Amino acid sequence: MATRKSSEKPTAILPSGKKDSSFFEQVYDVARQIPRGRVTSYGAIAAYLGTKMSARMVGWAMNGAFGQKDVPAHRVVNRNGMLSGKMHFATPTRMEELLKKEKIRVVDDTIVDFEKKFWDPAEELSI
DNA sequence: CCTTTGACTCACT
DNA sequence: CAGTGAGCCAAAG
């Protein structure tokens, strides 16, 4: 039984907001649960949250998550396994380096065997 | 309050 | 088979 309800309170979390049950926080929770050496896609997280239509929200949440929370944004890539968000890191190569530390092969800004390392929150977290 | 953007995804051409 | 376009939801300005 899914205790996740998409009808949360649309309160701001970024400015001054330390704790708010917003869409962002849900993304942080899932992303943080990503095991080391595994990766997931924005769509997977979005689907878990119920907004599978718009994975953009997940990426945007990461924008605020990375640097504020201990959210491994480098473990989250697009559905192609490509490091689309690497450009948003301190350095465009930072994300790739982090993934390599996770024993993840990254070639041409794309994760090798992405499907094998793919971590689905809906299955692992038993939605 | 309304407008624009945004680290995506699917579909059509 | 590859590229471009539109769609989607939510938050910041």
Side-chain angles (χ1 to χ4, degrees):
Chain A
M1 169 180 163
T3 39
R4 299 286 180 177
K5 194 193 297 184
S6 52
S7 302
E8 295 295 289
K9 296 179 180 177
T11 31
I13 183 176
L14 275 180
S16 307
K18 298 299 171 68
K19 287 180 294 185
D20 282 292
S21 301
S22 63
F23 183 87
F24 281 56
E25 190 173 280
Q26 295 181 53
V27 179
Y28 305 151
D29 185 68
V30 178
R32 195 181 303 171
Q33 291 174 73
I34 301 175
R36 184 173 175 278
R38 290 282 185 261
V39 288
T40 190
S41 61
Y42 301 100
I45 300 177
Y48 177 70
L49 300 179
T51 54
K52 61 180 183 180
M53 290 184 181
S54 309
R56 300 179 166 188
M57 276 63 262
V58 181
W60 206 328
M62 287 290 170
N63 198 6
F66 194 74
Q68 292 181 78
K69 307 276 186 175
D70 298 315
V71 178
H74 61 272
R75 291 181 190 160
V76 185
V77 293
N78 62 5
R79 92 150 202 88
N80 290 318
M82 183 178 169
L83 312 185
S84 51
K86 68 172 195 168
M87 58 164 77
H88 289 276
F89 282 71
T91 53
T93 50
R94 185 57 184 275
M95 188 175 184
E96 184 177 318
E97 291 296 298
L98 290 170
L99 287 171
K100 287 181 178 180
K101 291 172 183 287
E102 303 287 308
K103 306 302 180 185
I104 298 177
R105 302 290 182 174
V106 180
V107 179
D108 190 51
D109 303 322
T110 308
I111 298 178
V112 182
D113 298 319
F114 173 66
E115 297 180 52
K116 295 179 182 179
K117 301 178 184 303
F118 186 81
W119 180 82
D120 191 339
E123 292 186 36
E124 300 301 307
L125 303 179
S126 302
I127 190 170

